Amino acid sequence: MASSVYLCLLRTVFLVCIVNLLIHGVSGDEDVNQNPHHHLHENITGLPIVTFKWHHVETPYLVVLWVFVAALAKLSVIELNHHVTSVFPESGLLIILGFFLGGIVWGADKAQTFKLLPSTFFFYLLPQIILDASYFMPNKLFFSNLGAILIYAIFGTCWNAATVGLSLWGCYEAGAMGNLDIGLLQFLLFGSLIAAVDPVAVIAVFEEVHVNEVLFILVFGESLLNDGVTVVLYNVFEAFVNLGGPMIDTAEIFKGIFTFVVVAFGGSFLGVVFAILLSLLTRCTKHIQIIEAGFVFVVGYMAYLTAEMLSLSAILSITFCGVCCQKYVNANMDEKSITTLRHALKLLANGSETMIFVFLGITAIDTEIWVWNTGFILLTILFIFIYRIIGVFLLTWMLNKFRLVPVEVIDQVVMSYGGLRGAVAYGLAAMLDEKTIPEKNLMISTTLIVVYFTVILQGITMKPLVQWLKVKRAAHSDLKLIEKLNNRAFDHILAAVEDICGRIGDNWWTRGWNRFEENYISWLLMKPKARKNRDYLFSIFHKLNLEDAVNYVSEGERQGSLAFIRSDKAANVDFKKQFGSEFADVMPDIMVDMSSYELGIENFSVTSIVKDTIPSVSLDINAQDRKNALDDINAHHLLQQHLYRSRKHHRHKYSRSHFSINQSEEEVQEIFQRTMRSRLESFKSAKMGVNQAKKITKHHKKELAHKMANGHSDGTGYLYGDEVDSAVGSETGVISGTFMRDKYTVGAGIENPVFLPDMDSPTHSSLPWLMETEAVAPSQRAQRRLPWTPNRLRRLAPMRISTCSTDSFLMADVSSLTLEEHEELSQTDHDEIRPVFD
Amino acid sequence: MGASQSGRVHKFQELADKTGFSIEQIKNLHSRFTYLTQDEDTLRREHLENISNLAINPIRRQIIEAFFDKRNLGENEKGCLQEISFEEFVTVLSFFRPPKPRIPDEEMKNIRKEKLRFLFNMHDTDNDGVITLDEYRRVVEELLSSYETIGAETAKAISDGAMLEVASVTVGQMGPDEFYEGITFEQFMQILQNLEIETKMNIHFWNLDTTTMKCGK
């Protein structure tokens, strides 16, 4: 364990050394390179082929190098031994790694050349993190707890700022800190900047803990909004400090409070305005699909900068922009753009987060900023800890009087313990003006110590604490559709009971808003088409269907079916070998799969890859959307690659503005319709006792087996080789019978048996994967969930073959090779098999 | 007059003991009850159907039916009533009463079970103790009926998908020719175990008299 840690660290350190040596080796030569003109003049005799122009690229190069190093740092942290990462939070490890990196820079330069500048932080690193967090905010949860979140964010922050500032001032007056040049206002300013509970640090720690959703949204929402509040508070106090103590009278204080309100609510309002703008914009970006995802970034950033320009709260602005636009943007934009957007957001946010933590570590290695004052530092840590706890308990006590579901004591403990300070506090501290605040460095060093203390120590102890207190964790459930249905029914029931009681309650407001939103806001901000199928349940269903399609195709690929071999020239593959090996595979597969069926129905080879391990409402930057986005991208990728291959024309391959193949609306509709029907049919046959497949199998078993034998003898149709022993002979007969049956009725490749009843078969003669036929995304999910008893192993083969999508691949293969054969067979078989489906 | 007043108070006290509401809440509910019934003694379906806000609720039929379902009224009989008295009205509403804080786990379990039973009865329209696919389909169809864009076909498919999920989770191992009849109450409890119904199926019953607010009707 230890060795691998060292290895990782060494690897990184070594790399950084090289990087630094490169930079500094180069900077050592500055004298030579500084005057390129001079240099050129000297060597004017010949045309320089290669010149070394470090200064030409210095700034961007350094930025890129640092991004690279930060990414490597993240990589090495992730690759660390599992035992370490399970104890240490990632953010803490990144900070510690930052110490090492800072040490290297210090060793090379004898000064800290690189540090986190407040302007860099606030302009280039913070916005995307906030945008990401707000864009992925679970809206319903957020707004239903908005009251509590606002109270924690506004009153909690003010409480923390005031009490910490005043207490420190009191202790200072009492002589606990020796001689410092700090007045009451400066203490309050310091209190306000240290009150910022940092969303970055909080998500980073809470993501690994998976607490229940209410607790999560309270902590997370609070930390997000409280950043905005802190900045506002900071600005107000800074204005007071600049004004100077004697100038402040009651009017100024009222003006300060008024500013606070205006800045906070103005910022939020501005965010909403930009969200509306963005939603309207995405209504009409259909033809510039390739860049539409970019609008979210640009408009979000514009919201941030505009608020900054108007000296409103930029953080609140971008927060509300993200929260409000998500629904409409998601509905308006193409699914591919949304996938792009999600990944890009995660990429940027995750990258910035890494950079921030690494630089928080690097910044520490600097003798200039370190001013030690034991009393001040220790008292600060003590006070923020104590007042956080008092504040949370006090506010919760008040809130619980009104809350239907009171916040439990255990949750309150975790909330108060989750008051992690982060880069926002540091950024604000670094922004302090040295002229008005002589003890700026003391404040910076105290802030840094508080950050390290909370992120590393509280981060490490958070998980054991949550476990020890037995905090309600987020429940993970396999049920998606029924859960949503129940929730929906639930909302209606509660609203109805409120109506009957004649009370205007929470549900009444929620429903009122929902109706207003549906009737007016959606009308304004959504595309008409998007409005049509934007229902939440519907989209869940849609997603499940897509998942099925992915599984269907993946399963096909796993089986190595011909229908899914990507080359169009696959027609001349050796069918014999292909099919023979494939069939040999079927039996062992079943044996292997059985174990997983017994454990959990969910596990079905390929699908285990995409199994959801993340709770449904997790907001963490790293993992939240991993699954969904993955599924989406898989679905799209696979669908395009395989199911509709024959339809696409590679017209736009080289185009910059048209990335996608021309997938028409009808196709999408078609997949959807069919999948729904398949669910229905497969459900019927599997659960309602209809089970046609089995009956027919039994009925025609011998007959078909016999026919197969005939097929063997004439040598044209190869089905199974001699490797299939006689014991399974009857089984294989059944199998062949089953898919032969399907094949006969449909006569065309990639069809699932469940579609048979209303299936028209356009072309009988062409090869299945070349045909312009309506390919299907059948309900793999329905089938993979079909329960089997382990002692019916023998029945499994026909079962699997007849209802699982595998058969269609087999069919596809067989239909091509025994084309002639089955054409003549179908003459005879058609009549006796057909009626079963009517 | 005085006698009837005290008799009424006595009756309220009894109801409060039985259902767990406070006297004030019972009084409020009583004034709401008389408001709904227009000073009659019993409440009929059309009284509830007249509530304007309820008219837009897609599953109002089930909810109204629940008020007249004998199973929810603490009796062991099945079937429906045509009209209910105030006592029965309060009994049904008490399913939505938030549990008192800090009650023992055992009691919480019971409350949970009662609330789930209420929901189950709502879905199980023919009282046979099983939510069959047909029954569930009807529920989903009604639930989605307010969205014109989702056709009956889709609703059916969605309910089938949901039912399949239930089957796969609750039954698990099942022979291919076995027949899944529907959701039993045990399975219902199983699939809703993550819902934390004891904290969700609650509404605020305020002590203030809210009937003066112009809502409903």
Side-chain angles (χ1 to χ4, degrees), chain A residues 396 399-401 403-409 411-412, chain B residues 99 101 199:
Chain A
T396 319
L399 277 173
N400 273 351
K401 290 189 175 281
R403 278 181 74 88
L404 194 56
V405 188
V407 180
E408 286 167 33
V409 181
D411 287 0
Q412 293 177 40
Chain B
T199 57

Side-chain angles (χ1 to χ4, degrees), chain A residues 270-412:
Chain A
L270 195 74
V272 175
V273 170
F274 271 95
I276 293 172
L277 193 77
L278 180 58
S279 309
L280 283 175
L281 199 66
T282 48
R283 268 188 74 157
C284 42
T285 50
K286 197 182 168 198
H287 298 290
I288 47 164
Q289 223 180 68
I290 210 87
I291 62 162
E292 69 181 350
F295 279 121
V296 177
F297 295 98
V298 174
V299 176
Y301 198 43
M302 253 160 68
Y304 188 86
L305 292 180
T306 313
E308 193 69 47
M309 180 177 76
L310 299 173
S311 70
L312 300 172
S313 169
I315 296 178
L316 287 177
S317 172
I318 198 168
T319 304
F320 277 91
C321 181
V323 169
C324 295
C325 78
Q326 53 165 277
K327 181 175 179 184
Y328 310 104
V329 166
N330 278 342
N332 284 343
M333 287 199 317
D334 187 79
E335 266 183 78
K336 269 169 279 180
S337 309
I338 293 169
T339 312
T340 314
L341 174 66
R342 285 173 160 167
H343 282 251
L345 268 175
K346 290 288 170 208
L347 168 76
L348 285 177
N350 215 325
S352 308
E353 187 194 289
T354 311
M355 294 284 289
I356 288 172
F357 282 123
V358 169
F359 270 91
L360 273 179
I362 292 173
T363 315
I365 312 298
D366 186 1
T367 45
E368 276 175 28
I369 60 162
W370 286 108
V371 180
W372 190 266
N373 183 321
T374 318
F376 186 79
I377 291 171
L378 287 184
L379 282 172
T380 308
I381 292 180
L382 182 73
F383 284 142
I384 60 163
F385 197 69
I386 289 177
Y387 287 118
R388 167 90 186 168
I389 294 177
I390 297 177
V392 166
F393 274 79
L394 209 66
L395 290 172
T396 319
W397 176 75
M398 287 196 292
L399 277 173
N400 273 351
K401 290 189 175 281
F402 301 100
R403 278 181 74 88
L404 194 56
V405 188
V407 180
E408 286 167 33
V409 181
I410 290 175
D411 287 0
Q412 293 177 40

Side-chain angles (χ1 to χ4, degrees), chain A residues 594 787-793 795-796, chain B residues 172-176 178:
Chain A
M594 282 316 296
W788 286 303
T789 41
N791 55 353
R792 298 199 174 167
L793 197 58
R795 196 178 287 165
L796 209 62
Chain B
Q173 312 289 335
M174 194 175 177
E178 274 179 52

Side-chain angles (χ1 to χ4, degrees), chain B residues 55-109:
Chain B
I56 49 165
N57 200 316
I59 54 171
R60 62 186 170 278
R61 186 191 59 83
Q62 300 171 33
I63 295 159
I64 292 175
E65 221 38 60
F67 274 84
F68 299 91
D69 194 329
K70 278 184 189 164
R71 287 172 297 174
N72 293 334
L73 300 174
E75 297 149 33
N76 283 329
E77 322 164 35
K78 291 172 178 178
C80 284
L81 296 170
Q82 289 312 308
E83 48 183 26
I84 54 169
S85 67
F86 178 60
E87 189 182 341
E88 282 145 352
F89 180 70
V90 175
T91 312
V92 173
L93 285 180
S94 71
F95 281 104
F96 295 89
R97 193 174 54 81
K100 294 201 169 67
R102 286 183 212 84
I103 57 167
D105 281 355
E106 197 59 30
E107 208 170 316
M108 190 59 109
K109 228 179 218 168

Side-chain angles (χ1 to χ4, degrees), chain A residues 536-557:
Chain A
Y536 191 54
L537 273 178
F538 192 75
S539 65
I540 295 265
F541 189 56
H542 186 65
K543 202 171 266 170
L544 288 179
N545 279 337
L546 277 180
E547 212 175 289
D548 291 351
V550 176
N551 293 331
Y552 171 71
V553 175
S554 317
E555 177 71 359
E557 280 200 323

